[in-house]
Amino acid sequence: MNTKKRNTNVYWALCILSGLALTYFTIFLPQAFWLGLPTFFGGLAMAMDWV
């Protein structure tokens, strides 16, 4: 089986930036918290190479 590792640095950056945005939204704009969840978990899944 051919398994190659792909570069996940961009996905980690996306996950970290989304996590920072989630923290900001939680503190200053709680009603917008849900907007960052898909990006955070999507970035996490791609960074962990689950997709």
Side-chain angles (χ1 to χ4, degrees):
M1 187 164 153
N2 188 3
T3 306
K4 64 178 183 177
K5 185 164 174 61
R6 60 182 179 172
N7 190 1
T8 59
N9 292 337
V10 175
Y11 301 130
W12 278 115
L14 177 69
C15 183
I16 290 169
L17 288 175
S18 296
L20 292 173
L22 282 175
T23 303
Y24 174 81
F25 286 151
T26 301
I27 294 170
F28 296 109
L29 198 60
Q31 64 269 22
F33 171 78
W34 303 104
L35 295 175
L37 286 179
T39 308
F40 176 75
F41 286 114
L44 180 64
M46 290 187 289
M48 297 292 284
D49 208 11
W50 291 339
V51 177

